[in-house]
């Protein structure tokens, strides 16, 4: 390639080549009364696994990030396939711990590893494929947000970014666990689907700014974020300061919370479904942050793989 290309631009090019692909967290396949949803994610040791991560955590993460896509569709997980390219230095302990991480994560979230493939590789490379089912009338997609809807998130933001900062700066922080052992919001995604109040949803894996950019592109709307309403991870502001904490919530990635829109009339039903925070609203165009009555445009920054030289 002549120059690097961002992951999202590459996906757009591939979509054109293949005749158009839906821009959702999962592929959607008709399966009678339900949809079968399927997603795949590839992780590499050098780019996706911090040096402090042990092999069990590597296995956990590979399954967790795949199940997060199932959660974003409001689906129940049906299983995960794993293809693992193992490097020459992988000994029996490493392999046992890695595959235990796969199985432990799947089991905690009510599913299992269905099978897969193993091979040798110069660098540890893991590809997971997650499968799930959702009733056709309950499926949640990235498109569907409308001006006037509320913008919400589960959990807190910036935890993984704070964990990365703590590790890189030699600080002790519980946020490091958030970085190394992400928690897919399957229970929340399913409950929100059943609430009937959500109009659009995706998982927040690459940072809030990129997530909103993706939702904006698919739904053809904009977003206004209330800075003072952002649920920053506990201890983050004390560790890095307010402005850095906001930046981490917007662009660090790795939180795996659910970002979604809902009709204002459905707020109470959504609150009964799960803990959530209203962080803004859907507007006609643009992506904005508001504080003390002043607005600034949010840049499209976040974690994104670069392909090519």
């Amino acid at each position: 390639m002549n120059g690097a290309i961002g992951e999202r631009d590459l996906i757009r090019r591939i979509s054109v080549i293949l005749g158009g692909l839906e821009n959702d967290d999962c592929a959607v396949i008709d399966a009678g009364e339900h949809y079968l949803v399927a997603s795949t994610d590839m992780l590499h040791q050098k780019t996706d696994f911090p040096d402090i991560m042990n092999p069990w955590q590597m296995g956990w993460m590979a399954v967790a990030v795949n199940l997060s896509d199932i959660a974003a569709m409001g689906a129940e997980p049906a299983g995960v396939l794993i293809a693992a390219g193992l490097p020459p230095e992988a000994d029996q302990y490493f392999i046992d711990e890695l595959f235990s991480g796969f199985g432990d994560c799947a089991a905690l979230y009510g599913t299992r590893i269905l099978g897969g493939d193993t091979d040798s590789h110069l660098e540890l490379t893991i590809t997971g494929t997650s499968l799930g089912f959702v009733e056709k009338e309950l499926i949640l997609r990235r498109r569907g947000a409308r001006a006037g809807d509320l913008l919400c998130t589960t959990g807190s933001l910036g935890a993984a970014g704070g964990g990365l900062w703590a590790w890189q700066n030699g600080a002790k922080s519980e946020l490091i666990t958030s970085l190394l052992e992400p928690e897919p919001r399957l229970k929340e995604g399913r409950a929100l689907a059943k609430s009937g109040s959500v109009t659009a949803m995706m998982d927040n894996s690459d940072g809030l700014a990129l997530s909103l950019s993706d939702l904006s592109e698919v739904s053809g709307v904009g977003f206004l974020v209330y800075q003072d309403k952002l649920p920053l991870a506990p201890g983050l502001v004390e560790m890095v300061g307010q402005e850095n904490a906001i930046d981490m919530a917007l662009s660090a990635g790795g939180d795996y919370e659910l970002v979604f829109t809902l009709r204002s009339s459905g707020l109470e039903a959504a609150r009964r479904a799960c803990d959530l925070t209203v962080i803004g609203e859907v507007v006609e165009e643009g992506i904005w942050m508001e504080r003390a009555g002043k607005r600034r445009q949010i840049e499209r920054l976040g974690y994104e793989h670069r392909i090519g030289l």
Side-chain angles (χ1 to χ4, degrees), residues 276-288:
L276 63 88
T277 302
V278 178
I279 61 171
E281 60 186 277
V282 183
V283 296
E284 293 290 343
E285 61 183 2
I287 303 177
W288 311 90

Side-chain angles (χ1 to χ4, degrees), residues 153-157 185 188 230-233 257-258 274-277:
T153 183
T154 58
S156 60
L157 303 176
R185 300 304 186 189
E188 293 85 347
L230 289 176
L232 300 175
E257 297 294 346
L258 297 174
C274 70
D275 291 331
L276 63 88
T277 302

Side-chain angles (χ1 to χ4, degrees), residues 147-219:
D149 287 352
L150 301 176
L151 174 65
C152 308
T153 183
T154 58
S156 60
L157 303 176
L164 181 62
W165 185 94
W167 162 53
Q168 291 176 335
N169 289 274
K172 293 183 179 180
S173 173
E174 294 181 359
L175 296 178
I176 294 176
T177 301
S178 299
L179 171 69
L180 302 181
E181 301 173 21
E183 300 179 2
R185 300 304 186 189
L186 283 161
K187 180 180 178 181
E188 293 85 347
R190 186 69 178 148
L192 286 167
K194 290 181 177 180
S195 77
S197 58
V198 175
T199 54
M201 187 160 77
M202 68 178 293
D203 80 332
N204 183 26
S205 57
D206 297 325
L208 183 62
L210 273 183
S211 295
L212 294 182
S213 178
D214 289 341
L215 287 174
S216 173
E217 182 177 348
V218 175
S219 287

Side-chain angles (χ1 to χ4, degrees), residues 134-146:
V134 58
E135 299 87 343
K136 289 182 174 178
E137 67 274 15
L138 297 185
I139 191 168
L140 299 176
R141 312 188 77 148
R142 294 184 180 185
R143 65 174 183 264
R146 296 292 180 266

